[in-house]
Amino acid sequence: MRSPVNCPAEGCFDNAAESRQQTVMKILIPCEPGLQERRVAMLPSQLARLKQLTGATIQVQSGAGRWLGLSDRDYQAAGAEVSDEIETLWREADLVLSIGPWSSEAFTPLGWLKAGACLIGLLDPWSQTASLDRLAAQGVSALSLELIPRISRAQAMDVLSSQASIIGYRSVLLGATALGRYLPMLTTAAGTIPPAKVIVLGAGVAGLQAIATARRLGAVVSAFDVRQSAAEEVQSLGAKFVEVDLSESAEAGGGYAKQLNEDSMARLRAGLLPHLQQADLIVTTAQVPGKPAPYLISATMVAQLQPGTVIVDAAAERGGNCELTSPGRDVDIDGVKVLGPTAIAAGLPHDASFLFGRNLLALLPLICHEGQLQLPLEDEIIAGCCVVTAGARRFPPQPKPMPVPEAV
């Protein structure tokens, strides 16, 4: 394990200590892994601010912005160096800004990162522990943006919220397209079409955006969340909050919900069924950080829904909120369509990338100082999202040892 070097503050790791002869830090914006990933970590319009904050040389892998309609010339005009020499780019990088995650199972450029470099992105530390071990062994540090604390000072850095807003918006559009009927009430010479009924399960950022989008499209909207505190936010958007009597509180720290016991889940499903049976479109967004998405809709419940009902499971990547969800596929169960979209935010790549880049620009001043990279672990934001410091894995956090009672 590397030792912390002398820094302005105790507990601060200086990742650039091993490369002091390098006068200018190099930041890499790579092409993203995954066939569905269309986002990029930073847009050309944001590079001037990135250079101002860091004083770094900005390097971009050729083709990084192709899915957004951005050419290599766009990045070059913004002051970046563009290259298709992938191995050289990764070996020279001091800081990599990426969407991610990067798996260690298949070919990955993680092995090219030099000791003292830092990787920032959505690293999925719960399932990508092998990647974290690999980075630690190489002396590389990593910040996982999913773990940024939800505190007021970190709101501008909250990548999960910025991307969840897009997920909620697109989920309703996907459902509206699959529904085969109007969402708003429509009065025509041939008669009046009543508005569609939409129910949203989960009233976090994605759920609230789904509610707002369905309302703007003219649907009659109701919503449910296991957190009773979400009722006011749901009602403020003009939706009805669905009440279900649970046997326990589902409130968890940081604005998240916790997993419920089996008795509470049975009560929840029974309480939701009558509301789901009246819905035309069901959008599910419920997730618990680091755990499989909770099953809110069982196969038995799906069999009792009206034919023509559409379920959009925005939690499909984590297994889904519906028992019959097939991630990445749309399935039809006796006339009920269950959509399991994945990489939803990547389907709106320009705005998703813009927001992601803004989140990064808010975070970087905490770790970039006078052209050098330092990780101030005494800062609760960095301490919360730092999953690897050069030479040691920090995730999952180890429990603090209990004090040994003094002998009487």
Side-chain angles (χ1 to χ4, degrees):
M1 181 186 298
R2 296 178 58 205
S3 301
V5 299
N6 293 329
C7 289
E10 183 181 354
C12 173
F13 279 80
D14 187 344
N15 277 43
E18 297 181 1
S19 55
R20 288 299 187 190
Q21 295 179 350
Q22 183 174 306
T23 57
V24 180
M25 178 170 61
K26 290 186 177 181
I27 296 178
L28 171 61
I29 300 170
C31 293
E32 294 296 326
L35 297 176
Q36 291 184 294
E37 186 54 75
R38 295 170 176 264
R39 295 171 291 181
V40 65
M42 197 76 65
L43 297 179
S45 61
Q46 297 170 318
L47 296 191
R49 178 59 177 161
L50 177 61
K51 190 171 183 64
Q52 180 186 27
L53 287 174
T54 63
T57 296
I58 314 301
Q59 297 187 313
V60 178
Q61 183 180 339
S62 179
R66 65 190 183 281
W67 296 114
L68 291 77
L70 299 173
S71 68
D72 292 345
R73 290 190 299 274
D74 293 324
Y75 279 99
Q76 290 170 331
E81 298 177 1
V82 179
S83 172
D84 59 3
E85 297 293 332
I86 304 175
E87 183 173 351
T88 300
L89 289 172
W90 280 82
R91 288 191 182 279
E92 293 182 351
D94 299 293
L95 175 62
V96 178
L97 304 179
S98 170
I99 307 287
W102 296 86
S103 171
S104 64
E105 297 175 359
F107 167 77
T108 172
L110 294 185
W112 292 330
L113 287 172
K114 63 187 178 184
C118 182
L119 172 67
I120 300 179
L122 292 168
L123 305 183
D124 190 10
W126 299 280
S127 64
Q128 298 297 331
T129 54
S131 294
L132 301 189
D133 288 335
R134 181 173 188 170
L135 294 173
Q138 294 171 212
V140 176
S141 295
L143 303 183
S144 190
L145 299 174
E146 299 99 319
L147 301 177
I148 287 180
R150 285 192 161 174
I151 57 176
S152 57
R153 188 165 66 91
Q155 284 183 343
M157 312 168 196
D158 190 348
V159 170
L160 287 185
S161 291
S162 70
Q163 303 304 295
S165 180
I166 293 173
I167 290 171
Y169 170 79
R170 286 202 69 232
S171 294
V172 172
L173 299 186
L174 292 172
T177 301
L179 187 58
R181 59 167 296 172
Y182 283 113
L183 259 66
M185 182 177 74
L186 193 69
T187 301
T188 72
T192 298
I193 298 174
K197 295 179 181 178
V198 177
I199 183 167
V200 178
L201 304 184
V205 175
L208 293 174
Q209 185 59 251
I211 293 167
T213 302
R215 286 278 297 157
R216 284 193 293 266
L217 290 174
V220 175
V221 185
S222 57
F224 167 78
D225 196 286
V226 293
R227 300 165 299 141
Q228 186 63 34
S229 59
E232 186 174 340
E233 292 178 284
V234 168
Q235 292 163 353
S236 71
L237 293 172
K240 176 185 176 183
F241 187 75
V242 174
E243 302 272 0
V244 176
D245 183 25
L246 303 176
S247 60
E248 62 174 319
S249 171
E251 300 284 348
Y256 292 105
K258 69 177 184 180
Q259 280 190 314
L260 299 177
N261 61 40
E262 283 304 315
D263 178 62
S264 293
M265 288 302 299
R267 287 170 176 259
L268 185 155
R269 297 186 189 108
L272 285 179
L273 181 57
H275 300 278
L276 301 182
Q277 289 174 319
Q278 298 176 31
D280 301 297
L281 172 61
I282 302 166
V283 178
T284 71
T285 66
Q287 298 194 52
V288 178
K291 299 185 183 297
Y295 279 153
L296 305 180
I297 306 175
S298 66
T300 302
M301 294 167 68
V302 172
Q304 299 177 66
L305 300 181
Q306 301 177 48
T309 302
V310 172
I311 300 173
V312 180
D313 196 337
E317 287 188 17
R318 287 289 180 183
N321 296 138
C322 176
E323 188 177 2
L324 299 179
T325 295
S326 179
R329 295 181 56 210
D330 300 343
V331 296
D332 189 301
I333 297 95
D334 295 328
V336 176
K337 297 179 182 178
V338 181
L339 281 56
T342 55
I344 301 175
L348 207 65
H350 189 279
D351 287 343
S353 300
F354 172 77
L355 294 173
F356 191 95
R358 289 293 297 269
N359 295 141
L360 289 176
L361 291 173
L363 173 68
L364 288 175
L366 298 183
I367 63 173
C368 295
H369 305 277
E370 299 180 355
Q372 300 294 338
L373 183 64
Q374 299 171 354
L375 301 182
L377 297 179
E378 77 284 352
D379 186 299
E380 64 179 318
I381 295 175
I382 302 303
C385 68
C386 183
V387 291
V388 180
T389 51
R393 178 149 70 92
R394 291 168 47 88
F395 185 89
Q398 298 300 312
K400 295 181 180 179
M402 296 293 292
V404 178
E406 296 181 3
V408 178

